[in-house]
Amino acid sequence: MKVYLEHIARTYLPYSLRRLMVKLFAYKTLIGVLVIIRNDNKVLLVEQIHAEGKVWRLPGGFVEKDEDPELAIIRELKEELSLELKHVKLKSVCFDKNFLGIIITFETFIENSPKLKVSSEIIRASFFNKTKIPSNIIASHKHLIGQ
C-alpha cells in the first residue's frame, strides 16, 4: 500500500506539493542526494517542473528513512532514468538554505552514453558539454558541476 501511495504522489502531485508533504511528514531535516555523472567533457542533466517552472538540474532525490545515501542515489537513478550504477564517489555534503536540508553530492564517470528511459518525474535527460550548460539550471547545481 505504501509503495502504491508513493507512486500516486510522484506521478500526480506537483513538485511543490510533494516537497511540502515531505517537509510536513518526514524527518526534521531533509536529506537530498545528487549525482554528477560525467562522460568525457559532458555532464548528465535532467529537466523537471520545479517551483520556478521548467529547470535543468542534476539527477537526484530524497533519502528515505534508514536508507544509506549512496544506495539512495543509486535507487533514484534507477527509478528516474532506468540507469544502473554500481559505484559513486562522495563529492560534497552541505546545507542548502533554499532546500532547507542537507544535500549529499556524489560523482561518477561513465564511458558510454547510456540509453536513458525517463520516468514521469522527468521531462527529459541529456548530456551537456560543460561549456554549454543550459541557462535555466539551478544555480547551486551549476556551481557543483564547475567545482
Side-chain angles (χ1 to χ4, degrees), residues 126-137:
S126 186
F127 281 91
F128 289 90
N129 190 300
K130 281 178 57 173
T131 60
K132 296 181 180 174
I133 299 293
S135 60
N136 61 332
I137 187 172

Side-chain angles (χ1 to χ4, degrees), residues 16 19 21 41 66-67 87 94 111-113 145:
S16 57
R19 186 169 170 201
M21 287 175 63
N41 205 24
D66 298 326
E67 185 177 31
H87 177 71
C94 66
E111 291 185 22
N112 302 327
S113 294
I145 292 167

Side-chain angles (χ1 to χ4, degrees), residues 91-103:
K91 181 173 174 69
S92 69
V93 178
C94 66
F95 181 80
D96 187 320
K97 64 182 178 185
N98 296 322
F99 174 71
L100 298 176
I102 296 169
I103 301 290

Side-chain angles (χ1 to χ4, degrees), residues 41-60:
N41 205 24
K42 296 180 180 179
V43 65
L44 179 65
L45 298 176
V46 296
E47 187 178 31
Q48 283 185 305
I49 300 293
H50 201 267
E52 296 86 35
K54 291 182 184 178
V55 295
W56 286 94
R57 58 184 303 273
L58 292 167

Side-chain angles (χ1 to χ4, degrees), residues 34 58 94 96 98 103 137-147:
L34 299 171
L58 292 167
C94 66
D96 187 320
N98 296 322
I103 301 290
I137 187 172
I138 295 173
S140 60
H141 294 206
K142 183 176 184 180
H143 174 74
L144 285 166
I145 292 167
Q147 287 184 332

